[in-house]
Amino acid sequence: MRKPREEMIAETRAKLIAAGRRAFGTVGYADASMDDFTAGAGLTRGALYHHFGDKKGLLQAVLQQIDAEMTLRLNRISADAPSRWQGFVEECVAYIEMALEPEIQRIMFRDGPAVLGDVSQWPTNNGCIAALSRSIEQLKADGVMAGIDTEAAARLINGASSHAALWIAKSENPEETSKRAVDGFRTLLDGLRIDK
């Protein structure tokens, strides 16, 4: 029995994203070819063009998938923390530390900005700012965080964590840079806490 059209479309997209993710994660965006995506998925170039337009469009889809996975991981970290403040800090720190993971480092923090430009202008960034804003509002309501403008704090924390991750990804010694970035970031966040 034939699969419904929507299911076939979803499967084709998923195959191309998986093939793109493998290629981008191993050889990088610049060295990944259209054949890497299509041959690995058993599909034609026409399927790639139809679903994503071009290689850049496929990269955007891969980034969205990785971003969604990162968000789920970060939400679990926050939910498992003993307090809302600790959850907030550990979630932010975990985001920075994810820059040590080879696939995330290469795709999200090296190739993504090189191909798609400034991370703060990516469509997913608005969701990050909104999530940070909700957390900051809760922390302020709990009396744990200083009375700071919520949007300003969200954008500053988002910018600091994004740039810390980029610094790690581009560092010649990512492990050492990560330790420095995390220590500095914890100190910055601690300055916003009231009940020290």
Side-chain angles (χ1 to χ4, degrees):
M1 187 171 173
R2 264 191 94 174
K3 295 178 185 176
R5 188 176 191 302
E6 294 80 21
E7 190 177 328
M8 289 171 53
I9 290 170
E11 283 181 8
T12 299
R13 282 184 61 83
K15 284 179 184 178
L16 287 166
I17 289 171
R21 187 167 174 169
R22 267 191 309 278
F24 296 144
T26 54
V27 300
Y29 181 85
D31 293 329
S33 73
M34 301 296 259
D35 293 332
D36 290 329
F37 315 133
T38 56
L43 298 165
T44 65
R45 283 187 180 205
L48 176 69
Y49 292 128
H50 174 73
H51 289 282
F52 302 104
D54 57 12
K55 185 167 136 177
K56 184 176 175 181
L58 180 59
L59 177 65
Q60 288 174 313
V62 168
L63 284 170
Q64 287 172 347
Q65 183 181 69
I66 293 171
D67 185 68
E69 292 169 6
M70 290 170 69
T71 299
L72 287 174
R73 288 172 58 190
L74 295 171
N75 289 341
R76 279 195 298 272
I77 289 166
S78 181
D80 291 344
S83 72
R84 197 183 318 261
W85 174 260
Q86 284 178 286
F88 180 73
V89 172
E90 294 312 314
E91 182 179 336
C92 292
V93 166
Y95 174 84
I96 294 169
E97 290 175 336
M98 285 180 186
L100 291 171
E101 297 175 28
E103 181 186 56
I104 291 174
Q105 183 181 106
R106 173 174 246 153
I107 297 173
M108 291 292 290
F109 298 119
R110 281 202 225 145
D111 288 348
V115 176
L116 303 175
D118 183 4
V119 174
S120 70
Q121 302 303 309
W122 291 4
T124 55
N125 195 56
N126 289 334
C128 294
I129 299 295
L132 280 168
S133 294
R134 286 190 297 275
S135 294
I136 290 166
E137 281 297 316
Q138 290 172 335
L139 291 166
K140 285 167 49 177
D142 291 348
V144 178
M145 186 178 274
I148 185 172
D149 178 275
T150 299
E151 183 181 1
R155 289 186 180 279
L156 291 169
I157 291 167
N158 177 263
S161 61
S162 294
H163 280 81
L166 292 168
W167 180 33
I168 293 164
K170 294 176 182 178
S171 172
E172 291 191 19
N173 187 343
E175 290 284 342
E176 190 265 335
T177 301
S178 177
K179 287 184 178 82
R180 292 173 58 203
V182 166
D183 286 348
F185 193 77
R186 285 185 185 279
T187 301
L188 282 174
L189 289 184
D190 200 46
L192 295 172
R193 188 173 173 190
I194 292 174
D195 62 339
K196 294 181 186 176

